[in-house]
Amino acid sequence: GLHEQHSSKICEFCSQPLPEERIKALGAHFNEADKQLKEDVEEQLELLRELFRTVKSLQVRESSNLYTDLEDEYKNITKSLVKMQTELDTNLTELGKKIAEKKSKTTEKMSLDEKVNVSGYISAIAEVNKVIEKHNLKTSNFEKEKDKAREALKVHYLSDIVEEIGKIDNSIK
């Protein structure tokens, strides 16, 4: 671009004669490099968009879907998850803006200081999953718990009439 701008026949850097073929070769090289850089930036933007869509697609279910003894714990943990999700959305949006800016400024050197921190988000998801696992375990043990409760009721009712049965047994003997 510099040589074309000044219509130079001599290299602006080394002061050597500049053949027309060399100018064309340089132009083609830099056009291809610019095109490749833009493709790479677009590829990164698409990866970022996909991550953004994935984060946005996570929906927190109502706590009423869980057993009542787990609802409060679930509500507190999901508040944290929603907060982390919002922070990550903001972070990804800012990073996307910076990357898109590079696409329009391929000839300028830019540094990318933004970092995406997903550890808080992942931790929050893990905590929510723990509560869901408690719920699922309780559900899978429901029949066992029901049987235990039946046995406890039988024992209770039988203990109430044990003396009567003892008297009846004695009178029969």
Side-chain angles (χ1 to χ4, degrees), residues 117-129:
N117 183 0
V118 295
S119 61
Y121 181 68
I122 291 171
S123 294
I125 289 173
E127 292 300 314
V128 169
N129 283 339

Side-chain angles (χ1 to χ4, degrees), residues 42-143:
E42 186 56 40
E43 185 179 314
Q44 293 304 310
L45 279 171
E46 188 51 42
L47 287 171
L48 198 60
R49 286 183 199 110
E50 182 60 32
L51 179 59
F52 186 81
R53 284 189 294 269
T54 302
V55 170
K56 277 289 199 194
S57 70
L58 180 76
Q59 298 296 316
V60 175
R61 296 205 174 237
E62 289 295 319
S63 61
S64 60
N65 290 319
L66 286 101
Y67 292 107
T68 54
D69 59 321
L70 297 173
E71 283 185 21
D72 288 339
E73 181 182 6
Y74 182 79
K75 282 179 188 176
N76 291 332
I77 290 171
T78 54
K79 281 181 189 174
S80 173
L81 175 61
V82 169
K83 180 181 178 241
M84 291 293 144
Q85 186 179 26
T86 302
E87 287 177 15
L88 186 56
D89 286 350
T90 302
N91 195 253
L92 290 172
T93 301
E94 290 303 312
L95 181 61
K97 287 177 184 176
K98 279 289 203 180
I99 292 173
E101 183 181 346
K102 177 60 182 171
K103 190 174 179 181
S104 65
K105 296 179 180 181
T106 56
T107 58
E108 297 176 26
K109 180 179 177 180
M110 290 179 65
S111 63
L112 190 61
D113 299 326
E114 285 74 14
K115 293 180 181 164
V116 177
N117 183 0
V118 295
S119 61
Y121 181 68
I122 291 171
S123 294
I125 289 173
E127 292 300 314
V128 169
N129 283 339
K130 284 179 187 176
V131 177
I132 292 170
E133 285 170 11
K134 286 181 193 179
H135 171 83
N136 291 343
L137 182 63
K138 199 170 183 176
T139 299
S140 65
N141 290 333
F142 183 72
E143 285 301 318

Side-chain angles (χ1 to χ4, degrees), residues 15-28:
S15 299
Q16 297 295 316
L18 209 61
E20 191 65 35
E21 292 293 319
R22 184 66 181 146
I23 290 177
K24 287 179 183 175
L26 286 172

